[in-house]
Coordinates of all heavy atoms in Angstrom, one line a residue:
G65 N -10.7 42.2 158.4 CA -11.7 43.1 157.9 C -11.7 44.5 158.6 O -10.9 44.6 159.6
S66 N -12.5 45.3 158.1 CA -12.7 46.6 158.9 C -14.2 46.8 159.0 O -15.0 46.3 158.1 CB -12.1 47.8 158.2 OG -12.6 47.9 156.9
A67 N -14.6 47.4 160.0 CA -16.1 47.6 160.3 C -16.4 48.9 159.6 O -15.7 50.0 159.8 CB -16.4 47.7 161.8
D68 N -17.6 49.0 158.9 CA -18.0 50.1 158.2 C -19.2 50.8 158.9 O -19.2 52.1 159.0 CB -18.5 49.8 156.8 CG -17.4 49.1 156.0 OD1 -16.2 49.6 156.2 OD2 -17.6 48.2 155.2
R69 N -20.1 50.1 159.5 CA -21.2 50.6 160.2 C -22.0 49.6 161.0 O -21.8 48.4 160.7 CB -22.2 51.3 159.2 CG -22.9 50.2 158.2 CD -23.7 51.0 157.2 NE -24.1 50.0 156.1 CZ -25.2 49.1 156.2 NH1 -25.9 49.1 157.3 NH2 -25.4 48.3 155.3
L70 N -22.7 50.0 162.0 CA -23.5 49.2 162.8 C -24.8 48.9 162.0 O -25.5 49.9 161.5 CB -23.8 49.9 164.2 CG -24.6 49.1 165.2 CD1 -23.9 47.9 165.7 CD2 -25.0 50.1 166.3
T71 N -25.2 47.6 161.9 CA -26.5 47.3 161.2 C -27.5 46.9 162.1 O -28.7 46.9 161.7 CB -26.3 46.1 160.2 OG1 -25.9 45.0 160.8 CG2 -25.1 46.6 159.1
G72 N -27.2 46.6 163.4 CA -28.3 46.3 164.3 C -27.8 46.0 165.7 O -26.5 45.6 165.9
M73 N -28.6 46.3 166.7 CA -28.4 46.0 168.1 C -29.6 45.1 168.5 O -30.7 45.5 168.3 CB -28.4 47.3 169.0 CG -27.2 48.2 168.8 SD -27.4 49.6 169.9 CE -28.8 50.5 169.4
Y74 N -29.2 44.1 169.3 CA -30.3 43.1 169.7 C -30.1 42.8 171.2 O -29.0 42.7 171.7 CB -30.2 41.9 168.9 CG -30.2 42.2 167.4 CD1 -29.1 42.5 166.7 CD2 -31.5 42.1 166.7 CE1 -29.1 42.8 165.3 CE2 -31.5 42.5 165.4 CZ -30.3 42.8 164.8 OH -30.4 43.0 163.4
F75 N -31.2 42.5 172.0 CA -31.1 42.0 173.3 C -31.9 40.7 173.3 O -33.0 40.6 172.9 CB -31.8 42.9 174.3 CG -31.8 42.5 175.6 CD1 -30.6 42.2 176.3 CD2 -32.9 42.1 176.3 CE1 -30.5 41.7 177.6 CE2 -32.9 41.6 177.6 CZ -31.7 41.3 178.2
E76 N -31.2 39.8 173.7 CA -31.7 38.4 173.7 C -32.0 38.0 175.3 O -31.0 37.7 176.0 CB -30.7 37.4 173.2 CG -31.3 36.0 173.0 CD -30.2 35.0 172.2 OE1 -29.1 35.4 172.1 OE2 -30.7 34.0 171.8
P77 N -33.2 38.2 175.8 CA -33.5 38.0 177.2 C -33.2 36.6 177.7 O -32.7 36.4 178.8 CB -35.0 38.2 177.3 CG -35.4 39.1 176.2 CD -34.3 38.7 175.0
E78 N -33.4 35.7 176.8 CA -33.1 34.2 177.2 C -31.6 34.1 177.6 O -31.3 33.2 178.4 CB -33.5 33.3 176.0 CG -33.4 31.9 176.3 CD -33.9 31.0 175.2 OE1 -35.2 30.8 175.1 OE2 -33.1 30.7 174.3
A79 N -30.8 34.7 176.9 CA -29.3 34.6 177.2 C -28.8 35.8 178.0 O -27.7 35.8 178.4 CB -28.5 34.5 175.9
D80 N -29.7 36.8 178.3 CA -29.3 38.0 179.0 C -28.1 38.6 178.3 O -27.0 38.9 179.1 CB -29.0 37.7 180.5 CG -28.9 39.0 181.3 OD1 -29.4 40.0 180.8 OD2 -28.3 39.0 182.3
A81 N -28.1 38.8 177.0 CA -27.0 39.3 176.3 C -27.4 40.3 175.2 O -28.4 40.1 174.6 CB -26.3 38.2 175.6
H82 N -26.6 41.2 175.1 CA -26.8 42.2 173.9 C -25.9 41.7 172.7 O -24.7 41.3 173.0 CB -26.4 43.6 174.3 CG -27.4 44.3 175.1 ND1 -27.5 44.2 176.5 CD2 -28.4 45.1 174.7 CE1 -28.5 44.9 176.9 NE2 -29.1 45.5 175.9
H83 N -26.3 41.9 171.6 CA -25.6 41.5 170.4 C -25.5 42.7 169.4 O -26.5 43.4 169.2 CB -26.3 40.4 169.6 CG -26.4 39.1 170.3 ND1 -25.5 38.1 170.3 CD2 -27.4 38.7 171.2 CE1 -25.9 37.1 171.2 NE2 -27.1 37.4 171.7
F84 N -24.4 42.9 168.8 CA -24.1 44.0 167.8 C -23.7 43.3 166.5 O -23.0 42.4 166.5 CB -23.1 45.0 168.4 CG -23.4 45.6 169.7 CD1 -23.2 45.0 170.9 CD2 -24.0 46.9 169.6 CE1 -23.5 45.6 172.1 CE2 -24.3 47.5 170.8 CZ -24.1 46.9 172.0
V85 N -24.3 43.9 165.5 CA -23.8 43.4 164.1 C -23.2 44.6 163.3 O -23.9 45.6 163.3 CB -25.0 42.7 163.4 CG1 -24.6 42.3 161.9 CG2 -25.6 41.6 164.1
F86 N -22.1 44.4 162.7 CA -21.4 45.4 162.0 C -21.3 45.0 160.5 O -20.8 43.8 160.2 CB -20.1 45.7 162.5 CG -20.1 46.2 163.9 CD1 -20.0 45.4 165.0 CD2 -20.3 47.6 164.2 CE1 -20.2 45.8 166.3 CE2 -20.4 48.1 165.5 CZ -20.4 47.1 166.6
A87 N -21.6 45.9 159.6 CA -21.3 45.6 158.2 C -19.7 45.8 158.1 O -19.2 46.8 158.4 CB -22.0 46.6 157.3
C88 N -19.1 44.8 157.5 CA -17.6 44.8 157.4 C -17.2 44.6 156.0 O -17.8 43.9 155.2 CB -17.1 43.7 158.3 SG -17.3 43.9 160.1
T89 N -16.0 45.1 155.8 CA -15.4 44.9 154.5 C -14.1 44.1 154.7 O -13.4 44.3 155.6 CB -14.9 46.4 153.8 OG1 -16.1 47.1 153.9 CG2 -14.3 46.2 152.5
V90 N -13.8 43.2 153.7 CA -12.6 42.4 153.7 C -11.8 42.7 152.5 O -12.4 43.3 151.5 CB -12.9 40.9 153.9 CG1 -13.6 40.6 155.1 CG2 -13.7 40.3 152.7
E91 N -10.5 42.3 152.4 CA -9.7 42.5 151.2 C -10.3 41.9 150.0 O -10.8 40.7 150.0 CB -8.3 41.9 151.5 CG -7.5 42.6 152.4 CD -6.1 42.0 152.5 OE1 -5.6 41.5 151.5 OE2 -5.6 42.0 153.6
P92 N -10.4 42.6 148.9 CA -10.9 42.0 147.7 C -10.1 40.8 147.3 O -8.9 40.8 147.4 CB -10.7 43.1 146.6 CG -10.6 44.4 147.4 CD -10.0 44.0 148.7
G93 N -10.9 39.8 146.9 CA -10.2 38.5 146.5 C -9.9 37.6 147.5 O -9.6 36.5 147.3

């Protein structure tokens, strides 16, 4: 796939981790 845009950034204190989510496109079909 390819990343099109960032949809969210999250911080999970319990895991002491940042998470990023990207809207992605994959090959049709």
